[in-house]
Amino acid sequence: MRGTTHAATESPGPPFTIEGRDGLARAGTLRLRNGSVQTPCFIPVGTLGTVKSLTPEDLMAVGAQIVLGNAYHLYLRPGMDVMRKVGGLHRFMNWERPILTDSGGFQVFSLARINKVEDDGVVFQSHIDGSTHRLTPELAVDIQTVLGSDIMMALDEVPPADASYEHMSRAVARTANWLDRCRVRHAELTEQAGLLFPILQGGSEPDLRAESIQRTVDLGPWPGIAIGGLSVGESRPIMLEVLDRCLPLLPEDTPRYLMGVGYPDDLVECIQRGVDMFDCVAPTRNGRNGSAFTADGRINIKGARFAADTGPLDPDCACECCRNYSRAYLRHLFVCDELLGLRLLSLHNVAFLLKLTQDARAAILEDRLTEWATDRLARYRADNAA
């Protein structure tokens, strides 16, 4: 059975090596205890220990290097007693490659029916059974250590995009204080814990973003830094504006991880700006609803125009779905509510984003990123997308 994890090394963490640049974009390799990750990369989201409808074998077949799990959900179910007994998340889900786990901060603030944010942590009510729990920075690190995360995220406070300046400011300060506590707890667990990434907050406020970056850098060095608080309702221009301000302030030799962003054109825009890592539920959520990413734009496979279309979903894609099944058959599956349709479109969408980041990496290494990006964006945003 696959999924054996390896002991952590004595060093603070494997280095991130930048192997090529094209403008602000970088191609690198992040070495983790369960394997290396080449960047730019997309991380499929397996919140509950599974990328919805897809097996680990499916993910490996389309080139997934790393997957994401969620500490909040796995802490509530199946729980840490079970995770200890089964030997961690790698063995539990039969995945031998690296795993990144989110601390659960976003879920605490977005899913919990009742929560009370305090300086010590968050008291929240389970969305499963209504039970009450307290999540502290230290517990967030402990949970992710039990899971066996290769990359664990520090606990942060995630305010909504429309939060007041005062709310954003308090979240920046609290996130920095919680990061310091995560750092201390992580140092006590060096032998067991994976790499710890901090998360930046500050919304779209330039001074708060700068404060969050400075406070985070002062507590470092870090093996990577995540940019949080985006893709929470703000427009694309605002997101890109925040990145344009933030990225030049980050350490040059660490990977930049943009959380929750996963539409094809967003990835291209952000890679050009120097982002290295992405995750998002978009490919599988869209796939389950009949929406497919293609080189020529997003299409709704349930449309009547595909009823007798014998062509592949995306002629440029070599995934299992595109190699073997026609648009007509895929539409039939969705019209008939057959589960196979959900799996095939989810698999294709994940494969599409993985290939997109692989192609971006190749373009960076060959000094042709601008040309590649211009072509990809023009095709994807063309008027014939439906």
Side-chain angles (χ1 to χ4, degrees), residues 314-344:
D314 184 350
D316 291 351
C317 181
C319 76
E320 175 187 346
C321 174
C322 295
R323 288 197 317 269
N324 299 314
Y325 304 102
S326 69
R327 291 181 172 189
Y329 181 63
L330 294 169
R331 178 183 183 274
H332 166 74
L333 294 176
F334 274 90
V335 170
C336 297
D337 293 324
E338 284 291 339
L339 295 178
L340 179 59
L342 280 64
R343 174 185 173 270
L344 289 175

Side-chain angles (χ1 to χ4, degrees), residues 91-217:
R91 288 183 176 176
F92 191 52
M93 65 180 290
N94 194 30
W95 177 255
E96 64 184 0
R97 296 177 182 178
I99 294 175
L100 180 151
T101 51
D102 195 357
S103 66
F106 179 80
Q107 284 68 34
V108 165
F109 298 108
S110 66
L111 294 181
R113 289 175 289 173
I114 298 175
N115 67 68
K116 182 178 180 183
V117 184
E118 304 171 332
D119 288 341
D120 182 60
V122 183
V123 177
F124 69 95
Q125 190 175 49
S126 167
H127 69 285
I128 298 171
D129 59 13
S131 57
T132 300
H133 303 264
R134 176 183 292 274
L135 181 63
T136 65
E138 293 81 7
L139 180 57
V141 171
D142 290 347
I143 292 169
Q144 294 177 87
T145 301
V146 172
L147 294 174
S149 311
D150 294 87
I151 300 174
M152 63 174 68
M153 306 308 300
L155 184 64
D156 61 330
E157 181 176 356
V158 188
D162 61 355
S164 67
Y165 182 92
E166 291 72 20
H167 186 176
M168 289 283 187
S169 181
R170 288 195 302 271
V172 166
R174 185 171 281 135
T175 295
N177 291 334
W178 286 355
L179 174 60
D180 193 25
R181 290 167 56 187
C182 286
R183 179 184 63 84
V184 172
R185 180 58 178 155
H186 181 265
E188 297 170 351
L189 300 170
T190 300
E191 291 300 317
Q192 298 85 30
L195 304 184
L196 176 66
F197 279 24
I199 304 175
L200 303 175
Q201 291 296 338
S204 59
E205 301 292 342
D207 59 330
L208 295 182
R209 282 287 176 179
E211 177 187 346
S212 182
I213 291 171
Q214 190 60 57
R215 295 183 68 156
T216 298
V217 171

Side-chain angles (χ1 to χ4, degrees), residues 330-373:
L330 294 169
R331 178 183 183 274
H332 166 74
L333 294 176
F334 274 90
V335 170
C336 297
D337 293 324
E338 284 291 339
L339 295 178
L340 179 59
L342 280 64
R343 174 185 173 270
L344 289 175
L345 254 66
S346 295
L347 180 62
H348 164 75
N349 283 347
V350 169
F352 184 90
L353 294 186
L354 293 171
K355 181 65 161 50
L356 184 72
T357 52
Q358 292 164 6
D359 288 348
R361 175 183 170 85
I364 293 168
L365 292 173
E366 296 167 9
D367 294 322
R368 53 179 180 83
L369 181 68
T370 299
E371 177 184 356
W372 174 86

